[in-house]
Amino acid sequence: VGSSLERRFTLREAESGGVSAVTMHVQTDASSQIQHYSDVTTDVDFVLIGYWDCGTYVEAFDTFTAGADDSWQDEDLCVYGVRPGHVAEIVMTNDDASTDPPDTNHTAGVRTNGSALSRLTDLQNAESGGVDCGTMFVEADSTPNATIELFAGETDAPDTHVDFYLVGYWSKAPLAYTELYVDVGSPTADNTWEDLDLTADGVPDGAIVELVMSNEDVDEQDRMGVRANGSSLTREIDLMEAEDGGGETFRAHVQTDSTATIEFEHEDVSDNHTFRLIGFWDACDSSIEYIVSDLGAVTASESSLGISINASGDVVGFDEDAGSNPGAWFSECGVFTALGTLGGSDAESHGVNAAETVVGWAHDASGNRKPFSWTSGGGMVDLGTVSGRPEGEATAINDSDEIAGTLYRFNAAADNRQAFIDLPAPAYTLAAGMTALGTLGGAESVGTDINASGQLVGGAQIAGRNMRPFRWANGTMTNLGTLGGESPIVTHRAQAINTAGNVVGASFTAGGAMHAFFWDGSMTDLGVLTGGTTSRALGINDGNVVVGESEVTGGNYHAFVWDSTNGLRDLNSLDGASGWTLSRATSINSDGAITGFGTNGSGDVRAFLLTLTCSAGGGAAAATFPDASSPNDGGFFDESPMDDVDEIDAPQSRPPLPPMCGLGAVQALSLGLIPFAAGRRRTRRQP
């Protein structure tokens, strides 16, 4: 609801009966509504075949093609929003309308990059126009480019008939997904639901399996179906004939029972058909895992540090050469953009918003540090200074282009720093431009982060020169207190704030140790990792998941993640066998993606991107889905009968469907003869 995507297809006619169908997922809104569309309401049905009660599905409608016939071709999905380890939903189409079999049916497939699976579907021709469709999930690899592989088997020039549509992807997957490609056989009797044990195919008990049913009979339509073992749902679909070869396909999910068994059914088992297992989602337990992507460096010989990540997973940070001289960069889909300087030698980038505006500091021609903002169209702009302080740095920017930072005179005497807010327009009783925010009664303050509401955090001196974490809102600076101790050092401060106004940072305990804290009206000590004495929280997302660094046994520092259910955990224990030592986690977005820096398997200090996934056992609700309202720990798939949801008289919103749909449920629907208007799709075609 509210989307502007032209997310629709023109499906070929069902010439001799049955239906032509395509399966897509769609995320409901807060009222369990979606939108649906038809150009001929009497011919089009919508069928709800199930829904997930957990996870975040992002709709898309991007088009690409394979670069060559009859070979697996790489395709980078990062440019469409997919990130490493995300599971993408791909609709494959054949628009060949010629009638010269067998040259009119075409093979299409998708698989994760580097896979050896022959994960293909033979799509029949679109004899009287439109397209014939098949749908599969596919997992992007662990590179920053989020790469998959495509296959188009054609008999003429490449790219003429087979198209691939990215119709969506899981930015928070409900479970761990495993690709397969197994012909699981057929029922033995007509019109009879029979058990199908998938244990031998590696499917665990309680998993949600993805099956593609294909009617390959060239003479008649056939009814096929899958359902949970013991179910009474009439969960079947009447697929049209494959008149000129290939197959009419349909995808559905079904949950296995405690013996990895489901049921399947076919109208006429003597006709040509296939039930193919193409993947499964694991049953969840309490474990999670992160995919580690090495972001590299602008110059291979340099170190790189990831500092901030935006909602799309773009990262900013800086390189350091052998002399520790920094160079600011912006990284998108594994491609670095060096940001330059304001005429001097060094620069660091520290914040980035959804519009990819970057902020940080850079030297001018006189060697002064100046706060900057940078855009791809306008380059680097000096933000200026106020309050008699000629230098400064910008540390964060929100999606309204409001900027937080600190002004100072570098290498000058003490008592020279002031937190600032820079506004593109008047707000919060302040004029547009830069304003110094004052202190808590002392002489100094520093600004570190700003949220969507213009609440700014940092550290400020109280009378007597001790620093305190603060939150500033609408002209008022609030002292957040301490963990029982006091300190004048600048790291005794708030570091990050989320949309709800919850704050994280570092404070001193009564015993004099610096510990990470979480503040939501009162301050919580997050503790330290095993063997350590100090820790700092550096980032927080809207699910109140916190990241930072903690000392460990031996005095080294490890990156950590914290949530209220699982407590403080070493990210090095959650990254699989990556070969990395993750030293510091600096920022986390609301999809759970994390940036920071550590030492990779080659011994180089590099910026990293961590993408949250389920491990072999599944994913914990508290860490994977911190904002989920569902009581189920891992996300669950509920089957629905394959009955028509509705035939529509005009484009409209689907009315609420309680009690089937929860808040934000992701529905899987089959659409019969859904129209596609030529020239109106949102298309990015790549060779």
Side-chain angles (χ1 to χ4, degrees):
V1 171
S3 173
S4 60
L5 293 177
E6 295 292 343
R7 201 168 177 263
R8 51 188 180 159
F9 293 93
T10 297
L11 297 187
R12 60 159 295 179
E13 66 179 45
E15 183 174 328
S16 301
V19 298
S20 180
V22 63
T23 309
M24 289 196 291
H25 283 66
V26 56
Q27 185 110 23
T28 63
D29 68 5
S31 300
S32 297
Q33 291 189 349
I34 63 169
Q35 291 182 329
H36 55 349
Y37 177 97
S38 172
D39 67 345
V40 183
T41 60
T42 56
D43 294 335
V44 178
D45 292 329
F46 294 81
V47 181
L48 175 67
I49 57 174
Y51 61 92
W52 297 91
D53 68 6
C54 202
T56 301
Y57 179 82
V58 179
E59 294 174 19
F61 203 60
D62 293 292
T63 313
F64 35 86
T65 58
D69 292 343
D70 298 312
S71 63
W72 289 97
Q73 305 284 307
D74 288 356
E75 180 69 29
D76 296 341
L77 299 185
C78 183
V79 292
Y80 307 117
V82 179
R83 292 299 180 258
H86 285 176
V87 178
E89 185 173 28
I90 306 292
V91 172
M92 303 161 286
T93 66
N94 175 19
D95 66 1
D96 194 338
S98 59
T99 56
D100 185 19
D103 295 340
T104 58
N105 53 288
H106 298 294
T107 302
V110 290
R111 68 186 185 187
T112 196
N113 190 27
S115 172
L117 294 175
S118 181
R119 211 162 174 261
L120 305 171
T121 293
D122 195 10
L123 301 175
Q124 64 165 311
N125 74 322
E127 181 177 327
S128 300
V131 296
D132 192 52
C133 295
T135 311
M136 290 187 193
F137 279 132
V138 58
E139 186 172 12
D141 69 8
S142 62
T143 67
N145 295 320
T147 303
I148 63 169
E149 294 181 13
L150 314 175
F151 185 98
E154 302 192 358
T155 57
D156 49 15
D159 306 339
T160 57
H161 294 300
V162 175
D163 287 324
F164 298 85
Y165 290 80
L166 171 68
V167 295
Y169 59 92
W170 295 95
S171 65
K172 290 182 182 176
L175 303 169
Y177 182 71
T178 301
E179 294 176 18
L180 293 172
Y181 190 73
V182 181
D183 187 336
V184 294
S186 303
T188 59
D190 297 345
N191 295 309
T192 303
W193 286 98
E194 297 181 11
D195 287 356
L196 174 63
D197 186 349
L198 300 175
T199 304
D201 300 312
V203 177
D205 303 341
I208 292 87
V209 294
E210 181 182 10
L211 290 111
V212 169
M213 299 167 280
S214 178
N215 180 21
E216 296 157 7
D217 195 285
V218 298
D219 296 320
E220 61 182 356
Q221 68 199 63
D222 276 303
R223 189 176 62 252
M224 307 172 70
V226 290
R227 68 184 186 186
N229 193 22
S231 172
S232 60
L233 295 177
T234 306
R235 201 163 182 267
E236 53 192 13
I237 192 164
D238 195 12
L239 295 176
M240 65 171 290
E241 66 181 45
E243 182 175 331
D244 293 311
E248 178 65 24
T249 65
F250 182 76
R251 180 190 65 164
H253 286 78
V254 55
Q255 185 161 34
T256 64
D257 65 8
S258 60
T259 62
T261 300
I262 63 170
E263 295 180 10
F264 61 165
E265 184 256 6
H266 194 278
E267 178 180 9
D268 185 349
V269 296
S270 66
D271 287 344
N272 292 330
H273 62 276
T274 304
F275 289 85
R276 188 168 285 121
L277 174 64
I278 58 171
F280 66 87
W281 300 87
D282 284 344
C284 267
D285 59 20
S286 60
S287 59
I288 63 169
E289 189 171 291
Y290 291 87
I291 294 173
V292 185
S293 299
D294 189 337
L295 294 180
V298 175
T299 302
S301 62
E302 296 180 346
S303 300
S304 63
L305 291 77
I307 302 299
S308 185
I309 187 170
N310 68 9
S312 300
D314 305 322
V315 176
V316 297
F318 54 92
D319 283 2
E320 288 186 340
D321 62 19
S324 297
N325 299 303
W329 50 254
F330 166 78
S331 177
E332 180 181 25
C333 298
V335 178
F336 278 101
T337 299
L339 305 189
T341 70
L342 292 169
S345 57
D346 301 338
E348 296 180 3
S349 51
H350 284 263
V352 59
N353 66 9
E356 300 180 355
T357 301
V358 181
V359 296
W361 68 261
H363 281 153
D364 64 14
S366 300
N368 295 315
R369 291 192 182 196
K370 291 297 184 72
F372 74 77
S373 68
W374 175 94
T375 61
S376 60
M380 188 176 288
V381 176
D382 186 341
L383 295 177
T385 59
V386 295
S387 73
R389 294 168 174 84
E391 297 174 283
E393 59 186 58
T395 51
I397 181 171
N398 65 18
D399 289 344
S400 299
D401 289 333
E402 298 167 344
I403 299 170
T406 303
L407 301 168
Y408 48 78
R409 184 179 298 278
F410 193 63
N411 288 331
D415 302 336
N416 74 93
R417 290 171 292 200
Q418 283 281 295
F420 74 79
I421 187 170
D422 186 83
L423 302 174
Y428 321 121
T429 71
L430 300 178
M434 187 177 291
T435 302
L437 300 183
T439 72
L440 291 168
E444 286 195 299
S445 62
V446 294
T448 55
D449 197 18
I450 189 169
N451 69 7
S453 301
Q455 296 175 321
L456 187 148
V457 295
Q461 284 183 349
I462 59 175
R465 299 179 61 86
N466 282 323
M467 294 288 289
R468 290 286 184 87
F470 75 80
R471 185 179 71 174
W472 179 95
N474 293 313
T476 300
M477 184 178 288
T478 300
N479 185 338
L480 303 186
T482 77
L483 290 173
E486 296 283 5
S487 176
I489 68 172
V490 72
T491 49
H492 190 199
R493 67 189 185 199
Q495 188 68 36
I497 184 170
N498 65 11
T499 301
N502 298 329
V503 181
V504 298
S507 180
F508 280 79
T509 67
M514 185 173 69
H515 281 192
F517 73 78
F518 169 79
W519 183 94
D520 60 355
S522 61
M523 192 171 286
T524 299
D525 187 340
L526 303 188
V528 295
L529 295 175
T530 301
T533 59
T534 64
S535 62
R536 289 194 301 161
L538 300 172
I540 183 173
N541 68 9
D542 287 343
N544 291 327
V545 181
V546 181
V547 296
E549 64 175 355
S550 172
E551 187 184 21
V552 294
T553 302
N556 293 319
Y557 280 81
H558 280 190
F560 73 72
V561 61
W562 176 93
D563 64 78
S564 60
T565 298
N566 298 289
L568 198 71
R569 291 177 293 174
D570 191 333
L571 278 170
N572 291 278
S573 68
L574 301 172
D575 67 345
S578 70
W580 278 73
T581 298
L582 306 174
S583 302
R584 181 183 297 176
T586 55
S587 182
I588 180 171
N589 69 16
S590 287
D591 282 337
I594 299 169
T595 193
F597 59 89
T599 305
N600 64 16
S602 300
D604 299 317
V605 176
R606 289 286 186 265
F608 62 70
L609 173 67
L610 301 184
T611 308
L612 188 62
T613 183
C614 290
S615 69
T624 312
F625 312 111
D627 54 353
S629 59
S630 168
N632 187 280
D633 275 350
F636 192 77
F637 182 79
D638 284 327
E639 297 175 16
S640 296
M642 288 188 187
D643 296 330
D644 292 350
V645 172
D646 158 4
E647 293 180 359
I648 60 176
D649 296 323
Q652 58 181 285
S653 293
R654 172 75 181 117
L657 293 172
M660 288 193 297
C661 298
L663 173 65
V666 180
Q667 302 184 35
L669 287 99
S670 165
L671 291 72
L673 289 176
I674 301 307
F676 166 79
R680 296 192 63 190
R681 61 184 173 180
R682 185 169 72 92
T683 303
R684 290 185 230 177
R685 183 180 296 275
Q686 294 184 340

